[in-house]
Amino acid sequence: MKNLQYANGDQMPILGLGTWKAGPGEVYEAVRTALRLGYRHIDCATVYGNEAEIGQALADAMAAGDVSRDELWITSKLWNDAHRQEDVRPALLRSLHDLQLDHLNLYLIHWPVVFKSGAGFPQSDAGYLSLAEVPLRETWSAMEACVHEGLVRHIGVSNFSARKCRHLIDAGHIKPEMNQVEMHPLLSQQGLRDFCVDNGILMTAYSPLGSGDRPASFKAEHEPQLMELTVIKAIAAERKRTPAQILLAWAVKRGTAVIPKSVNPQRLHQNLEAAEIELTEAEMAQINALDCHYRFVTGATWKGPNTPENLWDEK
Ligand code: A2P
């Protein structure tokens, strides 16, 4: 398995297990199976609502001798309702408790979107606060304190534009080391990728397979199907691989981490194997040409002061 290297030399396996949408009653087995197959990087978040079940799977796998803590890379994310200075550490401690860990390898600000403390998932504008009321640098400084305390090894962001990353680089003491964003051939994010490379920020691609199992309320009509794209299917047929594997191999070849979600043993195995596929420059060029800046996760569900324009800092 290839790794991405952090500034201090820490290595993060380039392909990890995504756990968004991995439901109760299925995520335990998915994590146990993934660890037996050789996955060593698990991507979690408070809002996925499954960290306690994942924590039990990690604890049981370690007790069974399948894996040791040192071999694991565990990421979690701060939810939008805990951005205030005083809320960050308690939120992290809850994730650590649920995951049955004493530290995380990586903790991310999940969205540059702020809810009132403990609001969960507010249904109206009244549950939201603006970035002027709770600035990202306030949240970031509390994240930095968690690094100093040894609760997390690395900190970063998710769904951040280059402009918002730049703000934290300028305002903070520790620079964000990771930006996790939606990335796949229809949304290659090349501009953001270039910014992150230039500034020493690693990237992780979420929804690499198009997250077809999102709730209907998060879906647009007539969405494109990544695994049905003609170019992807042709390369897959030529190489006797699956379209999913080609999508994942594309992310790996770009030097971004990638976190496909599966709860199915065959697909878990297939996805892990994809990290070993080496696409040619010609194949990469064909896939890169598919980019049309299409987002599956638009952020349009956010209310209050958040518009897609100020969320992504795009016109
Ligand atoms: P399942 O969990 O039943 O395997 P994303 O990672 O972009 O969020 O996409 C996750 C979706 O893709 C889930 O519906 C998952 O279903 C499905 N999936 C994961 N791996 C594969 C694969 N190798 N081939 C086809 N579908 C896959």
Side-chain angles (χ1 to χ4, degrees):
M1 171 68 64
K2 297 181 187 107
N3 291 296
L4 293 186
Q5 183 161 309
Y6 285 73
N8 72 347
D10 283 357
Q11 308 268 336
M12 180 178 89
I14 198 159
L15 190 139
L17 175 67
T19 61
W20 177 35
K21 309 174 263 73
E26 56 182 11
V27 73
Y28 177 91
E29 275 312 320
V31 172
R32 290 296 307 266
T33 304
L35 294 174
R36 281 190 211 106
L37 288 169
Y39 283 76
R40 292 294 178 262
H41 167 181
I42 315 285
D43 183 85
C44 313
T46 308
V47 76
Y48 303 160
N50 53 12
E51 287 191 327
E53 200 170 319
I54 293 170
Q56 196 54 53
L58 295 177
D60 290 351
M62 285 190 261
D66 294 348
V67 68
S68 67
R69 177 67 186 95
D70 289 350
E71 297 172 299
L72 287 173
W73 184 280
I74 309 293
T75 299
S76 185
K77 311 187 192 84
L78 178 79
W79 187 231
N80 304 346
D81 65 353
H83 272 223
R84 280 194 185 281
Q85 178 95 30
E86 64 273 21
D87 292 337
V88 173
R89 185 175 183 275
L92 170 59
L93 290 179
R94 265 196 306 282
S95 275
L96 287 173
H97 172 267
D98 285 353
L99 290 166
Q100 302 190 36
L101 299 175
D102 63 6
H103 73 277
L104 292 177
N105 300 82
L106 177 64
Y107 199 42
L108 307 177
I109 300 180
H110 204 151
W111 285 89
V113 168
V114 189
F115 300 164
K116 288 188 175 158
S117 296
F121 233 109
Q123 296 306 309
S124 75
D125 290 353
Y128 285 74
L129 295 169
S130 71
L131 292 180
E133 290 167 295
V134 187
L136 290 170
R137 62 176 181 277
E138 173 182 328
T139 312
W140 191 247
S141 113
M143 302 271 289
E144 290 175 333
C146 295
V147 175
H148 295 312
E149 207 186 325
L151 297 173
V152 297
R153 299 271 193 267
H154 301 274
I155 50 176
V157 295
S158 180
N159 297 299
F160 270 46
S161 65
R163 186 171 154 189
K164 292 188 178 79
C165 290
R166 162 62 55 202
H167 171 65
L168 289 189
I169 293 170
D170 293 343
H173 300 288
I174 301 176
K175 92 174 168 195
E177 290 192 272
M178 171 60 69
N179 190 13
Q180 181 179 127
V181 298
E182 179 182 340
M183 268 192 293
H184 43 70
L186 299 184
L187 183 71
S188 69
Q189 305 253 34
Q190 194 55 47
L192 184 57
R193 173 89 188 112
D194 292 343
F195 170 87
C196 288
V197 169
D198 289 348
N199 288 280
I201 301 174
L202 301 170
M203 294 189 85
T204 299
Y206 77 67
S207 297
L209 305 176
S211 293
D213 53 348
R214 271 167 299 137
S217 55
F218 284 99
K219 280 183 160 181
E221 275 180 47
H222 313 302
E223 285 188 341
Q225 304 294 320
L226 295 180
M227 288 179 265
E228 295 297 324
L229 294 168
T230 308
V231 167
I232 301 295
K233 281 169 64 175
I235 296 173
E238 171 90 8
R239 285 180 163 264
K240 300 194 170 38
R241 299 288 193 160
T242 67
Q245 287 181 311
I246 302 304
L247 293 165
L248 300 174
W250 172 83
V252 168
K253 179 83 177 176
R254 292 179 87 212
T256 60
V258 63
I259 47 166
K261 171 265 176 185
S262 183
V263 292
N264 171 285
Q266 284 74 35
R267 291 192 283 274
L268 282 167
H269 177 63
Q270 192 190 112
N271 295 348
L272 189 66
E273 279 197 324
E276 309 309 326
I277 300 170
E278 186 76 35
L279 294 177
T280 65
E281 292 304 329
E283 288 167 330
M284 289 300 286
Q286 264 187 294
I287 301 174
N288 289 338
L290 297 172
D291 184 34
C292 57
H293 210 67
Y294 183 88
R295 288 184 193 279
F296 292 105
V297 180
T298 62
T301 44
W302 303 133
K303 299 183 172 63
N306 304 288
T307 62
E309 288 74 24
N310 65 31
L311 178 63
W312 306 119
D313 295 314
E314 290 167 1
K315 293 279 171 293

